């Protein structure tokens, strides 16, 4: 089973015990800043590892509860898979509790656990009142059926129970898309002495590995992931759902900021105008007016802009989902389906949230015609739904496509008849864009390999596809390789894959010395020195000796007798022909020694090599030539 990675969030009103609960669960104090210690509140996001086994890894984000720090809270909760809503038993539901509930709803966080904290401060009767208070607030929300756990972080009551509940809940939950293009919204930028610039964030989707070239968007800076850490431990890769710190090359701390996004693909869109579907909070304190300034929180970005309605000029109260547009002052990176929060800049308050319908928005006229177009966009055309399903899953059967797109078989079949959709394995569909992308990745990988290992026939197919299997199904990768071989892009020799035009060769820097080695070997005929001596005499270093030996054997320029001796290919071939011509259908060691004038130290390895090559077969004390 593939390991899964999740991040949970602690949310709730200031001083309701989120940080204490995190510490009780993880033994990590997430209040790191001096100011946080002095004021006993969380200002920045705090992170800690909660649990890990062979199947699952869980991290915790402790998000600030104070109203002034709401932007950090949004940045943290935007990347979580489950929320623990912490409500203090001695205070109950408070203003920030309600605001956090709204934010969680708008961000689409559906999994929740309600932790009633500080239970040792009140009696059981009061706890029941707090429960009723919370249930009243949760009615009609996605959290109304969430389980309750009573906890006290100081006495450790309920800590084991809530931890077990978190683990059980997430083990039954699907993880984020680890096979898509890598995306990490940056929430912290800092420097480490001797290492340089480091960014930290939650991996929204995809994977990143050490040494990989990635981009900082929307700035367009190309960087390399020099080192990766997950909870202060070095890691070769970081996966969707993990908290990761990545040491970047070729960029300074001053060039980056919270809100930038680390990506591996050019397919993500940078934009300043987005079509959106928004729901507003139920109790708006102030009217939301046409073209009113708003502050958009999306991922870890915080951008000023204006809201543009096409069927009204103001919102006085919550009125269902509204289709409209956000025009921003700065570029953001986003894609369809991304969740966001809207805040009023002054007076500061959360006014709503929703999801991105189209990041490539245009300017439209006011009126119902525009709303009708946005409704179509919201649902998505049949082809858009088909494309979205394949781009996410990479390959799907017809039945899987029917389920994912909600399209009937006839409609799907009409679209799938287009050559851009490819059926392989007689049952799975994919898209030519994905096939071309995979083929380009493999081509680049082979090209790099050939430059470094010019004497090797190619890369073992299993090794070649290993790095891609986190992003694409193995069946699709196998198809792409076989298809490229048929089309003359790649070729295969046994289990090794190479570029079709590639011919193994000795690097120019060693070509002359290799020729000298072969000349010396050929001149010595059948009575050779140790093979190691020829390499030393030619000045060929140990670092390339093994690769050069295998290359020369593959090219039939060298025939290894045993670990010590080898013949030049022409000398070996000549000796075999002479022995065949001067013996009958069978011969023994003595006859062979007379024919080739060889001592036993050469003769025995020579005859065993004949057996290994299938030229002869040993029968008792004789050799029989094979026809």
């Amino acid at each position: 089973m593939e390991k899964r990675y999740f991040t949970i969030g602690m949310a709730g009103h200031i001083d309701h015990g989120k940080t204490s609960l995190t510490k009780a669960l993880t033994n990590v104090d997430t209040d790191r800043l001096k100011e946080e210690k002095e004021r006993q509140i969380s200002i920045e996001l705090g992170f800690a590892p909660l649990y890990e086994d062979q199947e699952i890894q869980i991290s915790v984000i402790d998000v600030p509860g104070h109203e002034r720090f709401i932007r950090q809270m949004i940045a943290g909760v935007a990347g979580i898979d489950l929320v623990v809503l912490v409500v203090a038993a001695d205070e109950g539901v408070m203003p920030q509790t309600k605001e956090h509930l709204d934010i969680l709803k708008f961000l689409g966080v559906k999994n929740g656990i309600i932790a009633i904290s500080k239970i040792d401060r009140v009696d059981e009767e009061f706890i029941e009142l707090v429960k009723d208070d919370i249930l009243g607030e949760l009615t009609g929300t996605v959290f109304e059926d969430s389980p309750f756990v009573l906890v006290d972080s100081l006495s450790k009551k309920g800590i084991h129970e809530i931890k077990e509940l978190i683990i059980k809940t997430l083990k039954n939950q699907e993880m984020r898309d680890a096979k898509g293009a890598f995306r990490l919204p940056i929430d912290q930028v800092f420097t480490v002495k001797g290492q340089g610039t480091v960014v930290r964030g939650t991996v929204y989707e995809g994977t990143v590995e050490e040494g990989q070239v990635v981009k900082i968007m929307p700035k367009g800076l190309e960087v390399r992931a020099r080192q990766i850490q997950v909870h202060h431990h070095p890691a070769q890769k970081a996966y969707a759902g993990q908290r990761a710190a990545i040491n970047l090359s070729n960029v300074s701390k001053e060039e980056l900021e919270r809100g930038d996004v680390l990506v591996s693909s050019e397919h993500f869109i940078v934009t300043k105008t987005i079509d959106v579907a928004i729901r507003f909070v139920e109790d708006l304190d102030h009217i939301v007016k046409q073209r009113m300034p708003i502050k958009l929180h999306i991922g870890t970005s915080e951008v000023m802009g204006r809201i543009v309605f096409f069927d009204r000029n103001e919102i006085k109260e919550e009125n269902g989902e509204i289709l409209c547009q956000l025009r921003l002052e700065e570029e953001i990176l986003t894609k369809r389906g991304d969740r966001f929060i809207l805040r009023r800049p002054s007076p500061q308050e959360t006014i709503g949230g929703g999801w991105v319908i189209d990041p490539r928005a245009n300017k439209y006229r006011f009126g119902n015609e525009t709303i009708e177009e946005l409704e179509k966009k919201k649902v998505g055309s049949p082809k858009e739904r088909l494309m979205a399903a394949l781009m996410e899953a990479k390959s799907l059967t017809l039945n899987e496509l029917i389920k994912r797109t909600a399209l009937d078989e006839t409609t799907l079949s009409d679209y799938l008849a287009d050559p851009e959709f490819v059926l392989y394995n007689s049952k799975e569909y994919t898209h030519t864009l994905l096939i071309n992308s995979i083929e380009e990745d493999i081509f680049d990988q082979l090209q790099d390999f050939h430059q470094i290992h010019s004497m090797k026939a190619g890369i073992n197919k299993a090794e070649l596809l290993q790095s891609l299997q986190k992003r694409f199904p193995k069946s699709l990768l196998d198809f792409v390789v076989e298809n490229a071989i048929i089309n003359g892009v790649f070729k295969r020799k046994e289990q090794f894959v190479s570029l079709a035009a590639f011919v193994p060769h000795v690097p120019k820097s060693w070509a002359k010395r290799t020729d000298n080695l072969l000349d010396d070997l050929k001149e010595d005929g059948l009575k050779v020195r140790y093979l190691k001596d020829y390499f030393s005499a030619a000045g060929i270093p140990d670092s390339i000796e093994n690769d050069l030996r295998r290359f020369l054997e593959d090219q039939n320029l060298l025939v290894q007798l045993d670990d010590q001796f080898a013949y030049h290919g022409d000398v070996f071939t000549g000796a075999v022909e002479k022995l065949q011509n001067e013996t009958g259908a069978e011969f023994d060691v003595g006859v062979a020694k007379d024919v080739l004038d060889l001592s036993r130290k050469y003769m025995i390895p020579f005859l065993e090599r004949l057996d290994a090559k299938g030229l002869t077969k040993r029968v008792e004390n004789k050799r029989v030539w094979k026809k």
Side-chain angles (χ1 to χ4, degrees), residues 2 292 471 606:
E2 185 178 352
M292 183 188 88
R471 294 163 50 203
F606 177 81

Side-chain angles (χ1 to χ4, degrees), residues 551-559 567-570 573 613:
F551 168 78
L552 294 175
E553 280 201 278
D554 287 344
Q555 302 299 313
N556 296 318
L557 294 170
L558 183 77
V559 178
Y567 286 157
H568 189 285
D570 293 347
T573 301
K613 283 181 168 289

Side-chain angles (χ1 to χ4, degrees), residues 2-6 55-57 170-171 173 175:
E2 185 178 352
K3 192 163 183 174
R4 295 177 297 150
Y5 303 91
F6 295 101
E55 182 182 343
I56 195 170
Q57 182 190 77
L170 289 175
K171 283 197 172 183
Q173 184 172 324
M175 70 176 281

Side-chain angles (χ1 to χ4, degrees), residues 297-403:
H297 296 266
I298 186 165
T300 57
S301 297
E302 181 182 344
V303 182
M304 293 297 297
R306 293 185 180 273
I307 188 167
V308 178
F309 299 118
F310 300 105
D311 60 348
R312 68 197 71 209
N313 286 309
E314 61 181 33
I315 301 286
K316 293 182 180 179
E317 58 185 4
E318 195 271 334
N319 196 22
E321 193 171 60
I322 294 171
L323 306 184
C324 55
Q325 191 173 84
L326 300 179
R327 296 178 185 172
L328 309 174
E329 294 179 5
E330 300 173 48
E331 288 184 323
I332 61 166
L333 179 141
T334 188
K335 71 175 189 178
R336 179 181 169 91
D338 280 357
R339 295 276 181 164
F340 61 84
I341 299 295
L342 286 187
R343 299 264 292 163
R344 187 191 302 272
S346 180
Q348 291 190 19
E349 62 175 345
T350 299
I351 59 173
W355 60 281
V356 176
I357 295 174
D358 186 359
R360 302 181 184 88
N362 297 309
K363 291 188 176 180
Y364 316 116
R365 290 183 179 179
F366 188 92
N368 288 330
E369 188 177 326
T370 293
I371 296 298
E372 289 172 8
E373 287 301 311
L374 291 178
E375 285 284 2
K376 291 177 185 176
K377 274 192 182 185
K378 177 186 167 185
V379 175
S381 69
K383 185 173 180 180
E384 286 172 341
R385 284 147 68 183
L386 173 56
M387 285 289 290
L390 285 176
M391 288 300 161
E392 182 178 353
K394 315 311 178 194
S395 70
L396 292 166
T397 64
L398 183 60
N399 284 338
E400 289 169 337
L401 281 168
I402 291 170
K403 289 178 184 177

Side-chain angles (χ1 to χ4, degrees), residues 4-165:
R4 295 177 297 150
Y5 303 91
F6 295 101
T7 301
I8 72 168
M10 296 286 176
H13 191 76
I14 182 175
D15 199 31
H16 273 210
K18 299 184 304 299
T19 301
S20 297
L21 179 55
T22 301
K23 185 176 181 181
L25 284 166
T26 65
N27 294 318
V28 175
D29 186 353
T30 56
D31 278 349
R32 306 172 317 282
L33 303 180
K34 180 183 177 184
E35 187 181 357
E36 291 176 338
K37 295 287 188 186
E38 291 172 350
R39 295 169 60 187
Q40 295 186 324
I41 59 171
S42 297
I43 298 172
E44 290 293 338
L45 302 172
F47 308 97
L50 174 72
Y51 177 80
E52 183 171 11
D53 61 19
Q54 295 297 315
E55 182 182 343
I56 195 170
Q57 182 190 77
I58 305 172
S59 308
V60 182
I61 297 182
D62 171 21
V63 295
H66 196 284
E67 191 276 335
R68 283 173 52 201
F69 308 126
I70 199 77
R71 70 185 183 93
Q72 284 93 330
M73 183 267 179
I74 293 169
V77 84
I80 71 171
D81 304 288
L82 177 147
V83 64
V84 177
L85 184 66
V86 183
V87 182
D90 58 347
E91 288 193 322
V93 174
M94 298 292 283
Q96 269 73 59
T97 314
K98 295 178 181 180
E99 187 167 23
H100 284 203
L101 273 170
D102 282 334
I103 289 169
L104 293 167
K105 175 182 72 176
F106 296 140
L107 292 176
V109 179
K110 296 177 182 177
N111 267 350
I113 295 170
I114 313 302
I116 300 180
S117 62
K118 305 184 181 182
I119 59 172
D120 282 359
R121 296 189 180 187
V122 298
D123 56 34
E124 289 186 15
E125 188 175 337
F126 196 84
I127 290 173
E128 290 304 313
L129 291 174
V130 173
K131 274 189 180 181
D132 290 340
D133 185 25
I134 296 169
L135 282 171
E137 288 296 331
L138 296 181
T139 301
T141 75
V142 293
F143 298 103
E144 64 181 339
D145 296 320
S146 297
F148 282 77
V149 183
L150 305 180
V151 298
D152 192 278
S153 301
L154 296 178
S155 65
K156 297 295 195 294
K157 287 179 184 176
I159 299 301
H160 175 75
E161 287 77 7
I162 193 170
K163 187 170 184 177
E164 289 299 307
L165 181 58

